[in-house]
Amino acid sequence: MKKTFWQKLSAWHKGDYDFTLKTTDHVDPQIIHEYTGKEHTIQALSRKERAFSGALYNVLCVLFCLILIGVLLGAVVSLPPHGNAENPAVNEVMDRYVEEGMQETGAVNTVAGMILDYRAFDTLGESFVLFTAVCAVTILMKNTKRTAPDGTPLPMVVAPGIVDYSKDNIVKTVSRFLIPFIFVFGVYVLLNGHLSPGGGFSGGAILGSALILFSMVYGEDRAAAIFSERLIKTVVLVSLSFYAIAKSYSFFTGANHLHSIISQGIPGRILSAGLILPLNVAVGFVVCCTMYSFYMYFRRGRIQ
Amino acid sequence: MLTSFEDLWTHVADNYIVIVSIILFGIGFTMLLFSRNLLKKVVGLNIMDTGVYLLLVSMGYIDGRHAPIIANGITDAANYINPIPSGLVLTGIVVSVSVTAIMLSLIVRLYEKYHSLNLDEIYELRNKEENT
């Protein structure tokens, strides 16, 4: 009955033996036969076998990672020199984006013009990725059982009282001054996305962090009363539909659409680059609401 | 091409950002494989992501040029770095945030069911559950 490791390996190769079915506890073969209808092949792992398989896994892990890092480091030798203008990554696409981007999209910030005009559908997809993630987290976190089948309460994900910043005087006083500034900075980054570094994603993340700080310091109940589930749903859905409608005009007007209407961006003037600003604001709202709802779901299990 | 040892050494020293990103990738990957704690696996995946973003962004950099924000009316492409990798990394960051959130919520559900974050223990408990 006792097999060596290599015999087991060859049996596994033929399909007669299953490593994963092994458990660390003794199992009654009769029960397994009743449930699976198969002759029982499950044996309890001995302590030695367990230690051996664990050690083997660790050794193989280290070897594999070292080999992978070695191969990747070896590949550095055949890379082109770093920061060289002759590199293959610097091609006519980049020239086109930088030289014609301001005329065609109106954005002074080439990255904003690229992601919100040339590749606007890509950014719409990103916003929907965030939306889908919020939906998935909602489904997973909303129906969590807080009690075991026999009625005893399970330990909470974050036990109340362990992380309670609302009782901390220093954090509370500092945050009272800090939150308005974070909000203003977030709005600045959001509204200047087409003129300076920043844009919808970074501005939205800053606004979301302000909301998270607010709900940490002033308590989740107060935050949930202001930013209700209904409000967040409305903001996200209106932003996503506005983005989708604003960018779908090219389906109707063809590829060469509305060039003359989009005004050119002027550094220092917020209302200057046509559609880029409203699209940035829409993306920013989606990101902000996503960050805030992630926090609330993990902290509270619900938004309300 | 690289002929002497000095050439190789200067090449590697020029590409130090790539090497740092490979090391970050390796740290994250090792953590992903080695750690049995699910939360640490998520942290490892995020470190791996960071390495990839660093590599991508550094590929768009060109020595002595400015950020791709048109300044002083100069629209010559020889004055600015490559904006495309920056946009790609933006996409990557959004996807990694979403994936992290979904993984963490799955871990919360697993913890509520098995009261453990250790992958081995969860496998054992699940096998026991299936066998009885």
Side-chain angles (χ1 to χ4, degrees):
Chain A
M1 206 54 214
K2 199 94 173 148
K3 289 177 186 164
T4 67
F5 179 72
W6 296 112
Q7 278 170 337
K8 281 179 189 168
L9 205 65
S10 61
W12 172 74
H13 184 66
K14 280 181 208 152
D16 302 335
Y17 185 81
D18 194 348
F19 277 109
T20 56
L21 277 179
K22 286 200 125 194
T23 64
T24 47
D25 291 312
H26 180 72
V27 189
D28 187 8
Q30 188 59 39
I31 296 173
I32 293 161
H33 186 72
E34 271 173 23
Y35 272 80
T36 61
K38 280 186 277 184
E39 276 310 314
H40 127 89
T41 49
I42 298 173
Q43 299 152 349
L45 275 182
S46 69
R47 184 181 291 262
K48 220 167 150 189
E49 268 180 326
R50 226 178 139 191
F52 177 72
S53 69
L56 187 73
Y57 178 81
N58 287 351
V59 168
L60 286 180
C61 260
V62 170
L63 271 181
F64 182 74
C65 292
L66 284 179
I67 290 170
L68 182 77
I69 295 172
V71 168
L72 289 175
L73 284 177
V76 172
V77 176
S78 29
L79 275 180
H82 183 258
N84 195 335
E86 307 298 314
N87 283 356
V90 184
N91 52 23
E92 66 274 9
V93 181
M94 177 226 164
D95 292 353
R96 167 71 187 236
Y97 281 174
V98 172
E99 283 171 1
E100 309 283 329
M102 202 161 149
Q103 290 289 332
E104 288 177 349
T105 68
V108 178
N109 181 353
T110 313
V111 177
M114 192 184 86
I115 65 167
L116 291 170
D117 196 285
Y118 289 118
R119 301 177 176 195
F121 285 113
D122 176 57
T123 311
L124 180 64
E126 277 174 56
S127 314
F128 272 101
V129 165
L130 280 175
F131 180 64
T132 316
V134 174
C135 292
V137 171
T138 309
I139 292 165
L140 284 167
M141 300 294 287
K142 209 165 191 177
N143 298 321
T144 46
K145 285 189 225 94
R146 298 287 174 206
T147 52
D150 56 341
T152 51
L154 292 179
M156 270 184 71
V157 181
V158 178
I162 290 180
V163 192
D164 195 359
Y165 292 114
S166 53
K167 294 212 173 69
D168 194 326
N169 268 331
I170 298 173
V171 174
K172 200 166 185 181
T173 317
V174 170
S175 303
R176 188 169 291 161
F177 286 106
L178 213 54
I179 288 173
F181 285 107
I182 299 177
F183 259 111
V184 170
F185 181 59
V187 170
Y188 164 76
V189 170
L190 197 62
L191 293 184
N192 274 284
H194 53 303
L195 304 173
S196 63
F201 288 103
S202 35
I206 295 168
L207 284 180
S209 70
L211 292 192
I212 290 173
L213 187 62
F214 179 84
S215 68
M216 260 184 185
V217 172
Y218 289 92
E220 287 120 32
D221 293 325
R222 220 168 141 190
I226 299 171
F227 311 105
S228 62
E229 195 175 355
R230 203 190 165 88
L231 179 73
I232 288 175
K233 259 188 213 161
T234 318
V235 167
V236 170
L237 286 181
V238 166
S239 303
L240 283 176
S241 351
F242 168 73
Y243 194 116
I245 291 166
K247 266 312 176 189
S248 58
Y249 61 80
S250 34
F251 284 126
F252 305 108
T253 56
N256 298 318
H257 45 68
L258 297 180
H259 267 199
S260 52
I261 292 178
I262 294 173
S263 62
Q264 201 170 324
I266 305 155
R269 280 188 59 189
I270 289 175
L271 296 171
S272 63
L275 268 177
I276 306 277
L277 172 67
L279 292 181
N280 251 334
V281 172
V283 170
F285 276 141
V286 173
V287 174
C288 169
C289 292
T290 308
M291 295 297 154
Y292 176 70
S293 14
F294 280 162
Y295 172 76
M296 284 304 259
Y297 275 123
F298 283 115
R299 180 70 209 253
R300 259 193 137 200
R302 61 187 197 280
I303 292 184
Q304 281 292 340
Chain B
M1 275 314 290
L2 306 167
T3 46
S4 66
F5 183 73
E6 282 79 31
D7 273 1
L8 180 72
W9 176 245
T10 45
H11 182 77
V12 167
D14 283 345
N15 278 318
Y16 72 96
I17 296 183
V18 181
I19 290 174
V20 169
S21 63
I22 287 171
I23 291 170
L24 272 178
F25 184 88
I27 291 172
F29 194 69
T30 315
M31 205 162 160
L32 189 67
L33 284 185
F34 209 63
S35 168
R36 307 306 292 161
N37 187 323
L38 286 172
L39 280 179
K40 286 184 185 171
K41 276 181 194 283
V42 175
V43 172
L45 198 72
N46 272 303
I47 295 175
M48 245 168 95
D49 285 344
T50 315
V52 174
Y53 302 150
L54 183 62
L55 179 79
L56 264 179
V57 162
S58 77
M59 283 295 134
Y61 179 73
I62 303 163
D63 281 336
R65 296 197 187 177
H66 302 289
I69 294 162
I70 312 293
N72 306 325
I74 305 166
T75 53
D76 187 15
N79 206 34
Y80 301 105
I81 63 158
N82 193 350
I84 300 162
S86 317
L88 294 181
V89 168
L90 202 62
T91 312
I93 291 174
V94 170
V95 172
S96 98
V97 165
S98 314
V99 169
T100 308
I102 293 177
M103 280 192 296
L104 288 176
S105 51
L106 284 171
I107 291 171
V108 168
R109 292 307 292 266
L110 269 178
Y111 183 79
E112 281 182 358
K113 192 161 167 58
Y114 295 112
H115 294 281
S116 167
L117 288 175
N118 190 320
L119 201 58
D120 290 334
E121 279 176 29
I122 291 175
Y123 269 131
E124 274 172 33
L125 289 168
R126 200 200 61 182
N127 276 343
K128 220 184 274 176
E129 217 170 54
E130 279 177 0
N131 291 335
T132 49

